[in-house]
Amino acid sequence: MIAAVGDVLSAHGPAVQAAASYAPSDYSIHFFLQLAVILLACRVVGWAGKRFLNQPQVVGEMIAGVVLGPSLLGLFFPDVQAAIFPKETRGVLYAGAQLGVGLYMFLVGLTLRLDHFQTKAKSAAMVSAAGIAVPFALAFLVTPLLLNVPGLFAEGISTGSATLFMGACIALTAFPMLARIIHERGLADTALGTLSLTAGAFDDAVSWCVLAIVLATFGAGAGVAILAIGGAILYALFLVLFGKRLLAPLGRAVEAKGEMSMTVLSVTLMLFCLSAFFMDAIGIHAIFGGFILGVFMPRGLFVEELKRKVEPLAVVLLLPMFFTYSGLNTRMDTVSSLPLLLIALGVLAVSILAKFGACWAAARLAGEDNRTALGIGALMNSRGLMELIIINIGLQKGIIGPTLFAMLVLMAIVTTVMATPLFEAVYGKRARASGELGTIDRTQAA
């Protein structure tokens, strides 16, 4: 009986490659087990983070992803971790992860208040510019020092490419995580939330474009960068000029019927998939396709109906796959000496100074009061799983080594965990007490 149960998670492909070949049913068996384990881990860790650390559910989900990976479960129970998450099945998990995070960012785009953006355009532009310029400036100063430490970067990498990569990592904002924190903290309909989301979206887009340039210098060719940057600009211009006009009939159909029909829902989801496909295909990321399409979708009853039909499944079932997939590629045991730990702490300090400090200063210069500027800085400093995605690409492409990868993972986790308590300390608590800000969305945080 024990042998039979254990055999369920083994490969069942053709006999000639029985030890390594997975049949379609094997992927199905693992997929449903993985989903169950992911949901359990996210709920338990999310509850613990909320109960003991006052962290939102999304931060618990990020940590749960790392817990299920080689850093914890794989470290203490490697056979169990390998049985549940074999490498051969991770392609299926990756596709589900992209669907989850893409749908979520599509929903975030639906709630973006363009009127708030117009009133805060100056502040958003200054915060975004500072959030890009200062990280790259500091990366220019520290990267030559890191290049002198063996094993951090690939051998033979140029100073320029290494600097661009580090600048992109430091400048990155955890756009999906930022969106969920804003939603859970009751900021979705506020000028501060829209300002932070807009600046974060632009900073992430620039970071991905810079990554495309770095990859081009590693043999992928200049066409990679041209396609990514040029394609994204053309798509954005197309939606700005024609998006609302072409998508308006969907909103009118919902208003006329009083609800969203299955036909309108299917057309909407088809458009989302095409938008995500295009942005992924040109080398940016699927989430930006979902987000920018959502910005130009009809408002009113259309948004209410779409969120009612799609949001629970996207947030509870699909999005946790995104965090887990990234966590499966994360190791925290490679920073194994005091000098390396000091370097890791230095990278963390520079990253906080570059992002939190720069965005706070830019918001102040743009005319925001000190409390609002501190709140913006706290939100923009969160990096989360977007950081893990970009450094995973760097590791896979041979730009960085496992040790620098672990240092950047540490930076991503610390800056994300500190975002919510820091925001509440400098802005949230006083704003709620004065009535400027609503209560925390407990339905999302629970």
Side-chain angles (χ1 to χ4, degrees):
M1 179 66 72
I2 294 175
V5 172
D7 187 57
V8 169
L9 297 180
S10 301
H12 297 86
V16 292
Q17 294 180 334
S21 179
Y22 277 71
S25 60
D26 294 325
Y27 291 104
S28 174
I29 290 170
H30 282 88
F31 181 69
F32 288 116
L33 177 61
Q34 288 167 359
L35 276 182
V37 172
I38 290 169
L39 291 174
L40 175 62
C42 286
R43 287 294 113 183
V44 171
V45 178
W47 172 85
K50 178 63 183 176
R51 176 69 174 80
F52 300 108
L53 301 175
N54 196 30
Q55 292 286 338
Q57 173 69 25
V58 63
V59 175
E61 291 174 3
M62 183 193 79
I63 297 173
V66 176
V67 167
L68 292 175
S71 297
L72 194 61
L73 181 62
L75 184 63
F76 294 103
F77 306 99
D79 293 338
V80 173
Q81 203 263 352
I84 299 174
F85 298 101
K87 292 182 179 179
E88 294 81 1
T89 67
R90 292 186 187 178
V92 178
L93 190 62
Y94 174 81
Q98 297 310 298
L99 175 61
V101 72
L103 267 178
Y104 185 77
M105 294 314 300
F106 177 54
L107 295 171
V108 169
L110 287 171
T111 60
L112 190 69
R113 293 283 301 271
L114 293 179
D115 55 335
H116 283 164
F117 170 68
Q118 291 167 357
T119 60
K120 295 289 184 179
K122 177 184 175 182
S123 298
M126 291 188 68
V127 168
S128 180
I132 289 293
V134 176
F136 277 93
L138 290 181
F140 178 79
L141 296 176
V142 303
T143 302
L145 302 176
L146 298 178
L147 283 170
N148 292 326
V149 181
L152 295 188
F153 283 98
E155 291 186 13
I157 188 173
S158 68
T159 302
S161 295
T163 300
L164 286 176
F165 183 80
M166 280 300 296
C169 291
I170 297 173
L172 202 68
T173 292
F175 193 34
M177 193 159 290
L178 174 64
R180 280 202 69 178
I181 292 174
I182 285 174
H183 188 61
E184 291 180 9
R185 298 288 112 176
L187 297 166
D189 293 326
T190 67
L192 185 150
T194 299
L195 188 158
S196 300
L197 267 182
T198 305
F202 183 78
D203 286 1
D204 275 13
V206 170
S207 293
W208 282 101
C209 290
V210 169
L211 178 63
I213 295 173
V214 174
L215 293 177
T217 66
F218 265 70
V224 172
I226 295 173
L227 178 64
I229 299 171
I233 292 174
L234 289 175
Y235 183 54
L237 286 175
F238 173 79
L239 288 177
V240 168
L241 295 175
F242 308 107
K244 286 190 174 182
R245 190 183 314 165
L246 293 175
L247 297 170
L250 294 174
R252 291 197 292 268
V254 174
E255 295 288 347
K257 193 172 182 180
E259 64 178 1
M260 179 174 287
S261 67
M262 292 300 173
T263 299
V264 172
L265 178 62
S266 65
V267 170
T268 302
L269 293 177
M270 178 192 68
L271 292 173
F272 155 75
C273 290
L274 289 174
S275 185
F277 156 76
F278 178 75
M279 293 298 277
D280 223 358
I282 64 175
I284 301 297
H285 200 282
I287 67 166
F288 294 106
F291 174 75
I292 194 171
L293 180 67
V295 170
F296 294 96
M297 277 289 175
R299 293 301 193 259
L301 185 60
F302 178 90
V303 172
E304 296 175 13
E305 283 288 292
L306 187 60
K307 290 185 68 175
R308 183 176 65 85
K309 292 177 180 293
V310 175
E311 187 174 40
L313 187 67
V315 171
V316 176
L317 180 65
L318 299 178
L319 190 59
M321 283 192 283
F322 171 71
F323 297 105
T324 301
Y325 179 82
S326 294
L328 290 174
N329 295 319
T330 303
R331 298 195 66 95
M332 300 296 291
D333 57 352
T334 56
V335 182
S336 55
S337 67
L338 180 59
L340 291 177
L341 179 59
L342 292 176
I343 292 174
L345 293 176
V347 170
L348 173 63
V350 168
S351 301
I352 294 174
L353 174 65
K355 200 68 178 181
F356 176 81
C359 293
W360 165 79
R364 289 291 288 147
L365 291 174
E368 302 292 339
D369 62 84
N370 187 57
R371 188 161 56 90
T372 301
L374 288 171
I376 292 169
L379 292 173
M380 293 290 290
N381 188 50
S382 173
R383 288 172 179 86
L385 268 296
M386 287 300 290
E387 181 78 14
L388 295 185
I389 290 175
I390 200 170
I391 62 178
N392 268 286
I393 294 173
L395 183 65
Q396 293 163 7
K397 298 296 183 181
I399 299 172
I400 60 175
T403 304
L404 182 56
F405 177 82
M407 294 177 181
L408 294 173
V409 168
L410 177 65
M411 181 265 284
I413 291 176
V414 172
T415 56
T416 303
V417 169
M418 68 184 287
T420 298
L422 183 59
F423 171 79
E424 288 296 324
V426 301
Y427 183 89
K429 288 182 179 178
R430 187 179 299 179
R432 291 182 220 288
S434 65
E436 302 171 43
L437 201 58
T439 58
I440 296 174
D441 188 346
R442 299 293 178 184
T443 62
Q444 289 288 338

